[in-house]
């Protein structure tokens, strides 16, 4: 018997005597042990027993531009397509300003400013009443898509929006996932459809950045079953799933967006939600290297970034000039805690960026709403924090610092 066999034998001996001991204590045989209880997943709310340092970051170390908020929204949306110029105003500037002061939010960018009369009213209510504190983006008027002259009409609408005070263009995931040839029916319109080329070019000429959301989390493109890491979220919002039917894959959507960026090098693109691929920062980084006109924001993705803190920290170090602070915050979004505009949400973002805390919630919610995990801070140095909180967004928006 060699030394390894000896140790192996000794190990077996230890295990069997431990088992005998356990049986001795309960007095029964293994078959008699109490049956495991079942528990509804929705009722499971484990409390962490970890004792680790916890910091509260009430104010960010530097002033913040939140590049991604939704303070207004379209008053009429049909099958995912915004069809009216009228806006719903979700909170007034007077309501938002005290919180912005407390949280050191220098400016909020309201991406869903709409078009036409609704855009004008939004600029009047926010940008003009609170100069420097609110910036409004315009959106395409897809209702006119079927008009033969749409490419020119849409490019001219961007020029008018610029005159009316819009600072950029927002593209919702409507393009690629909802907008169809007959607006709400027919074949899906592709993100790189040439009918939009004059619109992208006009944005470039007028130095209006394009904040573009394409695709969605990868899990939204896979079946809503027991293997889906966002099962509870998709189960609650079945309409968020893009699995099956005639939907393109996540990869196809991102490639179409990449072709747009390649074709319009003079136009700046803020690719929202970490380039809409926070699950694969290697891919996002590769695209940032390929497209000098591309930046990303963090909105609604601290849950993704914070569960891969080492990869995320390296990503921030390498691409520190290309990452913009954003939250996707919406007033009174009580059913979407990861987007509920308020002090608690901002503190989570500050804590993620500034602290080295371990294993904390990425949303102010009873159960983590985007998947059952927790996150870790990435403890960025001052130089990177300044860029991410303010300087990168100021540069893209053309704001004098
Ligand atoms: Zn958004």
């Amino acid at each position: 018997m060699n030394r390894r066999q000896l140790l192996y034998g000794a190990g077996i001996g230890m295990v069997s005597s431990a088992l005998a001991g356990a049986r001795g204590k309960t007095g029964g045989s293994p078959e008699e042990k109490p049956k495991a209880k079942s528990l509804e997943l929705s009722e499971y709310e484990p409390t962490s027993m970890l004792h680790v340092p916890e910091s509260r970051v009430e104010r960010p170390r530097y002033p913040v531009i939140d590049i991604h908020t939704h303070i207004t929204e379209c008053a009429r949306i049909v099958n995912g397509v915004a069809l009216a110029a009228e806006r719903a105003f979700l909170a007034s500037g007077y309501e938002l300003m005290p919180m912005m002061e407390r949280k050191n939010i220098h400016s909020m960018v309201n991406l869903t400013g709409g078009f036409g009369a609704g855009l004008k009213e939004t600029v009047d209510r926010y940008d003009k009443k609170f100069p420097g504190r609110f910036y409004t983006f315009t959106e395409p008027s897809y209702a006119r898509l079927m008009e033969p002259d749409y490419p020119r009409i849409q490019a001219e609408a961007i020029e008018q929006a610029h005159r009316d005070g819009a600072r950029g263009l927002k593209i919702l995931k409507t393009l690629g996932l909802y907008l169809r040839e007959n607006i709400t029916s027919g074949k899906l319109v592709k993100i790189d459809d040439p009918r939009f080329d004059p619109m992208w070019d006009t944005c470039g000429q007028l130095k209006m950045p394009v904040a573009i959301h394409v695709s969605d989390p990868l899990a939204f493109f896979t079946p809503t079953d027991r293997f889906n890491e966002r099962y509870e979220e998709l189960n609650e919002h079945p309409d968020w799933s893009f699995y099956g039917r005639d939907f393109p894959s996540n990869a196809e959507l991102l490639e179409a967006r990449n072709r747009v960026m390649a074709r319009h090098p003079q136009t700046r693109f803020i690719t929202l939600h970490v380039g809409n691929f926070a699950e694969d920062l290697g891919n996002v980084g590769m695209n940032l290297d390929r497209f000098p006109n591309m930046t990303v924001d963090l909105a609604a993705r601290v849950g993704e970034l914070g569960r891969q803190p080492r990869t995320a920290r390296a990503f921030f170090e390498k691409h520190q000039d290309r990452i913009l602070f954003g939250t996707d915050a919406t007033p009174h979004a009580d059913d979407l805690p990861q987007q509920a505009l308020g002090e608690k949400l901002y503190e989570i973002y500050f804590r993620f960026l500034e602290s080295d805390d371990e294993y904390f919630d990425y949303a102010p919610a009873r159960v983590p709403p985007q998947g059952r995990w927790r996150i870790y801070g990435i403890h960025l140095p001052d130089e990177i924090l300044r860029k991410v909180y303010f300087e990168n967004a100021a540069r893209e928006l053309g704001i004098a610092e």
Side-chain angles (χ1 to χ4, degrees), residues 205-225:
Q205 284 153 19
L206 297 173
K207 297 202 175 349
M208 291 168 76
V210 177
I212 184 165
H213 176 157
V214 303
S215 191
D216 248 345
L218 208 45
F220 290 11
F221 294 83
T222 61
T224 304
D225 61 14

Side-chain angles (χ1 to χ4, degrees), residues 33 94 96 126 147 197 222 268 271 338 391:
K33 82 172 195 273
Y94 298 104
L96 297 169
Y126 299 93
E147 296 179 32
D197 282 339
T222 61
R268 309 282 306 168
T271 63
Q338 68 272 25
E391 289 169 5

Side-chain angles (χ1 to χ4, degrees), residues 361-377:
D361 286 325
Y362 59 78
R366 199 172 51 82
V367 168
Q370 297 170 296
R372 282 194 181 248
W373 55 79
R374 287 189 167 128
I375 63 167
Y376 306 81

Side-chain angles (χ1 to χ4, degrees), residues 52 63 84 92 99 112 126 171 187 266 281 298 308 359 397:
V52 285
S92 72
M99 194 270 299
T112 33
Y126 299 93
I171 302 294
K187 268 182 72 172
Q266 302 310 319
L281 295 180
L298 309 178
Q308 44 179 330
Y359 202 63
L397 291 168

